Structure formats: structure tokens, C-alpha cells
Amino acid sequence: MQNNVNITNSITRFRQDFAIIANWVKFGSKVLDLGCGDGELLQFLRGALETKGYGVEKDDANLLACIKNGTNVIQMDLEDGLSGFEDQSFNTVILSQTLQAMHNTEEIVLEMLRVGQEIIVTFPNFGYWRNRMQINAGRMPVSKALPYQWYDTPNVHLCTINDFDEFCKNHKIEILERRVITDGEEVSFLPNLLGSLAMYRLKTK
Amino acid sequence: MQENNSIGIVAPQIAHFNAPLELKSGEILPQFDLVYETYGTLNADKSNAVIICHALSGNHHVAGKYHADDKYPGWWDNLIGPNKPLDTNRFFVIGLNNLGGCHGSSGPASINPVTNKPWGSAFPIVTVEDWVNSQARLLDYLGITQLAAVIGGSLGGMQALHWTLAYPERVRYALVIASAPNLTAQNMAFNEVARQAIITDPEFHGGDYYAHGVVPRRGLRIARMLGHITYLSDDAMGEKFGRKLKDTIKYSFDVEFEMESYLRYQGDKFAGEFDANTYLRMTRALDYYDPALEFGGDLSKTLSNTKAQFLVLSFTSDWRFSPARSREIVKALLDNESTVSYAEVTAAHGHDAFLMPDPHYHAILRTYLSNIQVGCNHAE
């Protein structure tokens, strides 16, 4: 386990969210990472926690990157749901910073809860004060977490932490844990105002 | 470039098997021949062997040329050779002609050693299972215990899949391309039309046309024309031919559209070099393959004993072996927590895409295959 801590330290300099996800995933468990990109998170979890994992990815270049680094990857579009996956067949299903770009937002969260015993959802908090400042100044927010102009953004369903809390309440989703980060540091005071990235661990009530 | 990394001049070999082979139908082939080719060198611990399973009209001549002035190389030459996606500097590649074929392995057109006449209609109906068993015999003959990989597209993909079921210990990786866990009714229907074209040809003579010195050319030609329609997508045909005329409209039934010219050319070419009895058997092998049948249709249960790692690959415009069918295989593998990746390649060429050197498709194969570890290499 000592080694794992070292791996965690080296990678968390860049990705605090990975470290938190690693704390939420059990050793040796089965993980599904939706929108897995080049498989970086799955590789990290595999190295740190010996997880058995699959990634789901739509993009050709990312698929190729996953195959290159030996990550199991299934090419499909999340907008079509998770029909290829059985109920409760994964310990953890992860949707990392992809929720805001989904059209079928509600459906994918419910699908994740169907397939996973627990799910992890992370998204950029639209309620972050820097976003509010830009809106107050009369402009759509552009930042490190939201690096797009209004006309080219893939983000179609941005929400705040309060919005997502409400969403969970209305959909009978239990929030097992919520962590909020800004610039790699955890935020506990006024998270919906001071937090840039929201991270949730959820399960069906 | 193409010439530089060609495997070069190759030659077929024949393996003769004296021990009888029991077929799925219950019939027994007392002895048989398999014609095969190999490319690259088997390494010292024999861990780098890859078998290529061919589709409906394929054969053992997968790569290279027999003579420098051959017009075409083997049918999957774009995949196989030094520094190609299936790199013969690393792998020892085996191509063979399946039983029932017409390119040198025992089949309806070959001589039955008991009667000293062509087998004709007496040659048994062979199945995907029989092919895999005979391929395993070829591996025994070559002294290979375990394959680094089995690769096949279409009907070849069914064989690749079946290898992992029938011989789980003998396959490390399976590449199942543009395939399906069984055929749909529509897919089988095309096969039935093709067979009817052949069987109702007056020169078919119940399959014993060899004795009459004729071949059911017309039937085979129509069967192939039909096949070609289903191997292409509507878009690909549109792009290739559209409504282009050869000349002007003549109000006749001659070749007027470019598409007709293409189909007739393909049909004629095929009817001149392929055996109709083989075509009947290949389509039947496709129809019959349904490994989940004995598991009550449960493909997940069917694949529960596989040990191989899988790459499943489909093409978006392939409607004869649609992506949905490949996803069924993937789902069953996921249910078993198998090691599997699935790529759905965007390609316009329909089922034919699996034989084409699409850059992304080949990049996937190259990358996947380069990750396969092979033991100590030869003479290094």
C-alpha cells in the first residue's frame, strides 16, 4: 500500500479530483468510467487500487489512446444510455466533468445508478463566484474550468451545486459524500460560491 | 512504400492429416488436407503465432505474391507484412484454406481418396466448429500449443470467436472484426437466395457437375452479385456508381448503368475461379453458427469459459454484420468481466470496410497488436 500512496502523491499534484475519486473507490473493485478520455483516470485507479475497469468513449483519438495504454475501452455514445451494461454490474460508475456536456443529463445519471452500486459525478460549479462575476459584468463565463466561448462550448447543461443537490433530492438520490475543490484545494466554507469543481458520491435511496 | 514492407514471394504448403475428423453433423472425414501459408518466423518459445481465419470467399493466400509479376497480392496483404499492422517481424502468421474450400484444402472439388473422383455432393457439410477443430489440428502439426492471437473478419470473426470457446487455453487474444454471434433471418435469407441461384442452375447436377464437365456458372455469378450488393453500403454504391450510365439510355436490358457493369464483372470473375459447392457450404456454415443455442440463447453463459482478451470491431455502415451484432458480443464479454475493447469504426464502405486500409482502422489494429507480448524472439 505504501507504493500506492506514492503514486497518489505524484499524480495529485495535477489532479486533486483523481485523489478524491481514489478515496471513494475500493481496492480491487470494478469501475466504469464514462467519457474516459485517454484512460488516464482508469490507469491511475488500476495502478493505485488494482481496480478492474472499463472506459466508455466516443472519440476516435481517445479510443486509440486507451488501446495504446492497455485500457479496456468501449466505443459508444453516452447519449444512447448504457444498454450494454447490466443492472448493478459495477461497484462504481464515474462521470468525470462530462455531465455538463450531456444532452440526456437526467437519463445518464439514472442509467449510472442502474448500472453502478455507487456513482461518482463531478462537474464545474456554475455558481462559483468567478462565474458569477463574469455574468454580473454582462458576459458568459470563460475560465480554466469552462474554457469555451458561448458559441463553441460543448457545455449545454451547466448547473450549480445547489441545483445538483436539488436534482438529487427530487430524484431520490442519496448523497453519500460531497467534496468541493478550487485550484486543487478543498473548500468547505460557502461551497456553492467558493467552489470551482463539485464532486459527488451517490447511490439510489 | 507498399512494396517495401511487403512480405514478398510466398509459397503454399499442404498438411495431410490421417487421423479422422469428426464433424458436427456426425459425419467423419477419415483423412483430409489443409493448404496453408506462413509469414514471418516462429520464435523459440512458439509464442508469436497468429492465425488468420478467412471469410466466405477467402483462402490461405492472405499476403505476399507467388510471383513478382502477380497482379494482386494475398487478400489481406494491406494488414500483414514487415512493419505493417500485423508485423511479420514480430509475429508468425498462418493463413489456411478452410475445409470444404476450393483452393487446395479438402473440399467438394478435390479428389475423394476412396473413389478417386471429385467429392462433389458427397463432401460433408462443414461448420465453423469443424473449421476451428481442423485449425487446431494444423497448430498441432506445426507444434504450436497456444496462439498469440486469432484474427478474423465476418465469417472469419465467427471462427475467431469460436476459438476462444472451443480452445480457451490455446488463444491469448481474439480480434473479432465485422462479425456476429449468429446470423439474423435477413442475413440468412440472402444466403438462401444465393444458394437457390446455384442449385436451380441447370448445370448444377445435384452438386456433381464435375462429372458432366460443366459448372453452374450462372447461378454462382448471381449469388456473387447478390453478395456484393450486401457487402457495400447504399452510400458507398452511390458514391462509386450513383446513376452513372456507361453510354446513353438504350431501352434495353444490356449493361447500361455503371453499377450493372461492376456487378457483372464481379460475378463473372468469381464464377470463373470459385467452386459453387464450396459457396453453398460456406453460406451454410454462416447460417448454422449459433454457439448460444445450446445455452438457451444466452450468449453471456456461452462465453463464460473464454480466457482470451478481445478486440471487437465493427463498421458504422456495415448493415450485413451491423455494429449492433458486435455489441451483443461485447455485452456478453462485459457480463463475464472479460478483458475487452470495442471499436466502432466510422467507415463508408459497408461490410467490405474490414478489408480496406482505412487509416484509423489500421491504427487500432496496429496499436492493439503491438501491445501483445511475444516471448524470446528468433535468432537475436
PDB file of all heavy atoms in Angstrom, chain B residues 87-98:
ATOM      1  N   ASP B  87       2.631  -7.196 -37.812  1.00  0.00           N
ATOM      2  CA  ASP B  87       4.037  -7.077 -38.197  1.00  0.00           C
ATOM      3  C   ASP B  87       4.709  -8.455 -38.218  1.00  0.00           C
ATOM      4  O   ASP B  87       4.871  -9.094 -37.178  1.00  0.00           O
ATOM      5  CB  ASP B  87       4.729  -6.148 -37.192  1.00  0.00           C
ATOM      6  CG  ASP B  87       6.161  -5.824 -37.587  1.00  0.00           C
ATOM      7  OD1 ASP B  87       6.674  -6.432 -38.558  1.00  0.00           O
ATOM      8  OD2 ASP B  87       6.756  -4.956 -36.922  1.00  0.00           O
ATOM      9  N   THR B  88       5.125  -8.862 -39.400  1.00  0.00           N
ATOM     10  CA  THR B  88       5.761 -10.189 -39.518  1.00  0.00           C
ATOM     11  C   THR B  88       7.195 -10.194 -38.986  1.00  0.00           C
ATOM     12  O   THR B  88       7.816 -11.251 -38.928  1.00  0.00           O
ATOM     13  CB  THR B  88       5.744 -10.658 -40.988  1.00  0.00           C
ATOM     14  OG1 THR B  88       6.209  -9.601 -41.826  1.00  0.00           O
ATOM     15  CG2 THR B  88       4.340 -11.059 -41.395  1.00  0.00           C
ATOM     16  N   ASN B  89       7.710  -9.018 -38.584  1.00  0.00           N
ATOM     17  CA  ASN B  89       8.986  -9.029 -37.848  1.00  0.00           C
ATOM     18  C   ASN B  89       8.788  -9.566 -36.437  1.00  0.00           C
ATOM     19  O   ASN B  89       9.735 -10.019 -35.802  1.00  0.00           O
ATOM     20  CB  ASN B  89       9.584  -7.616 -37.757  1.00  0.00           C
ATOM     21  CG  ASN B  89      10.043  -7.108 -39.102  1.00  0.00           C
ATOM     22  OD1 ASN B  89      10.543  -7.880 -39.927  1.00  0.00           O
ATOM     23  ND2 ASN B  89       9.861  -5.818 -39.344  1.00  0.00           N
ATOM     24  N   ARG B  90       7.572  -9.491 -35.950  1.00  0.00           N
ATOM     25  CA  ARG B  90       7.281  -9.950 -34.578  1.00  0.00           C
ATOM     26  C   ARG B  90       6.455 -11.239 -34.574  1.00  0.00           C
ATOM     27  O   ARG B  90       6.626 -12.077 -33.700  1.00  0.00           O
ATOM     28  CB  ARG B  90       6.493  -8.884 -33.798  1.00  0.00           C
ATOM     29  CG  ARG B  90       7.248  -7.597 -33.540  1.00  0.00           C
ATOM     30  CD  ARG B  90       6.412  -6.682 -32.657  1.00  0.00           C
ATOM     31  NE  ARG B  90       6.260  -7.219 -31.313  1.00  0.00           N
ATOM     32  CZ  ARG B  90       5.105  -7.294 -30.659  1.00  0.00           C
ATOM     33  NH1 ARG B  90       3.998  -6.867 -31.223  1.00  0.00           N
ATOM     34  NH2 ARG B  90       5.046  -7.796 -29.445  1.00  0.00           N
ATOM     35  N   PHE B  91       5.540 -11.347 -35.511  1.00  0.00           N
ATOM     36  CA  PHE B  91       4.582 -12.449 -35.460  1.00  0.00           C
ATOM     37  C   PHE B  91       4.835 -13.487 -36.547  1.00  0.00           C
ATOM     38  O   PHE B  91       5.353 -13.166 -37.622  1.00  0.00           O
ATOM     39  CB  PHE B  91       3.150 -11.920 -35.598  1.00  0.00           C
ATOM     40  CG  PHE B  91       2.688 -11.093 -34.432  1.00  0.00           C
ATOM     41  CD1 PHE B  91       2.560  -9.713 -34.532  1.00  0.00           C
ATOM     42  CD2 PHE B  91       2.374 -11.699 -33.214  1.00  0.00           C
ATOM     43  CE1 PHE B  91       2.130  -8.954 -33.456  1.00  0.00           C
ATOM     44  CE2 PHE B  91       1.943 -10.950 -32.132  1.00  0.00           C
ATOM     45  CZ  PHE B  91       1.825  -9.573 -32.247  1.00  0.00           C
ATOM     46  N   PHE B  92       4.446 -14.698 -36.231  1.00  0.00           N
ATOM     47  CA  PHE B  92       4.434 -15.788 -37.196  1.00  0.00           C
ATOM     48  C   PHE B  92       2.973 -15.997 -37.595  1.00  0.00           C
ATOM     49  O   PHE B  92       2.147 -16.406 -36.783  1.00  0.00           O
ATOM     50  CB  PHE B  92       4.986 -17.057 -36.536  1.00  0.00           C
ATOM     51  CG  PHE B  92       4.937 -18.291 -37.393  1.00  0.00           C
ATOM     52  CD1 PHE B  92       5.705 -18.391 -38.547  1.00  0.00           C
ATOM     53  CD2 PHE B  92       4.146 -19.378 -37.024  1.00  0.00           C
ATOM     54  CE1 PHE B  92       5.676 -19.548 -39.328  1.00  0.00           C
ATOM     55  CE2 PHE B  92       4.118 -20.537 -37.799  1.00  0.00           C
ATOM     56  CZ  PHE B  92       4.880 -20.618 -38.949  1.00  0.00           C
ATOM     57  N   VAL B  93       2.669 -15.645 -38.832  1.00  0.00           N
ATOM     58  CA  VAL B  93       1.273 -15.579 -39.262  1.00  0.00           C
ATOM     59  C   VAL B  93       0.931 -16.796 -40.119  1.00  0.00           C
ATOM     60  O   VAL B  93       1.689 -17.154 -41.027  1.00  0.00           O
ATOM     61  CB  VAL B  93       1.003 -14.278 -40.048  1.00  0.00           C
ATOM     62  CG1 VAL B  93      -0.452 -14.195 -40.478  1.00  0.00           C
ATOM     63  CG2 VAL B  93       1.390 -13.058 -39.211  1.00  0.00           C
ATOM     64  N   ILE B  94      -0.208 -17.408 -39.807  1.00  0.00           N
ATOM     65  CA  ILE B  94      -0.652 -18.588 -40.551  1.00  0.00           C
ATOM     66  C   ILE B  94      -1.967 -18.264 -41.254  1.00  0.00           C
ATOM     67  O   ILE B  94      -2.922 -17.813 -40.619  1.00  0.00           O
ATOM     68  CB  ILE B  94      -0.907 -19.773 -39.589  1.00  0.00           C
ATOM     69  CG1 ILE B  94       0.335 -20.045 -38.726  1.00  0.00           C
ATOM     70  CG2 ILE B  94      -1.311 -21.029 -40.358  1.00  0.00           C
ATOM     71  CD1 ILE B  94       0.026 -20.815 -37.455  1.00  0.00           C
ATOM     72  N   GLY B  95      -1.997 -18.496 -42.552  1.00  0.00           N
ATOM     73  CA  GLY B  95      -3.260 -18.417 -43.286  1.00  0.00           C
ATOM     74  C   GLY B  95      -3.575 -19.799 -43.822  1.00  0.00           C
ATOM     75  O   GLY B  95      -2.665 -20.522 -44.236  1.00  0.00           O
ATOM     76  N   LEU B  96      -4.823 -20.200 -43.773  1.00  0.00           N
ATOM     77  CA  LEU B  96      -5.154 -21.508 -44.328  1.00  0.00           C
ATOM     78  C   LEU B  96      -6.464 -21.432 -45.090  1.00  0.00           C
ATOM     79  O   LEU B  96      -7.228 -20.478 -44.926  1.00  0.00           O
ATOM     80  CB  LEU B  96      -5.254 -22.581 -43.228  1.00  0.00           C
ATOM     81  CG  LEU B  96      -6.592 -22.676 -42.472  1.00  0.00           C
ATOM     82  CD1 LEU B  96      -6.754 -24.038 -41.877  1.00  0.00           C
ATOM     83  CD2 LEU B  96      -6.668 -21.612 -41.406  1.00  0.00           C
ATOM     84  N   ASN B  97      -6.661 -22.421 -45.915  1.00  0.00           N
ATOM     85  CA  ASN B  97      -7.935 -22.573 -46.620  1.00  0.00           C
ATOM     86  C   ASN B  97      -8.767 -23.564 -45.805  1.00  0.00           C
ATOM     87  O   ASN B  97      -8.296 -24.646 -45.459  1.00  0.00           O
ATOM     88  CB  ASN B  97      -7.658 -23.111 -48.032  1.00  0.00           C
ATOM     89  CG  ASN B  97      -8.915 -23.208 -48.893  1.00  0.00           C
ATOM     90  OD1 ASN B  97      -9.006 -24.086 -49.741  1.00  0.00           O
ATOM     91  ND2 ASN B  97      -9.880 -22.322 -48.691  1.00  0.00           N
ATOM     92  N   ASN B  98      -9.984 -23.153 -45.495  1.00  0.00           N
ATOM     93  CA  ASN B  98     -10.822 -24.000 -44.646  1.00  0.00           C
ATOM     94  C   ASN B  98     -11.284 -25.258 -45.363  1.00  0.00           C
ATOM     95  O   ASN B  98     -11.378 -25.294 -46.596  1.00  0.00           O
ATOM     96  CB  ASN B  98     -12.036 -23.217 -44.152  1.00  0.00           C
ATOM     97  CG  ASN B  98     -11.693 -22.328 -42.973  1.00  0.00           C
ATOM     98  OD1 ASN B  98     -10.790 -22.642 -42.195  1.00  0.00           O
ATOM     99  ND2 ASN B  98     -12.400 -21.224 -42.848  1.00  0.00           N
TER     100      ASN B  98
END
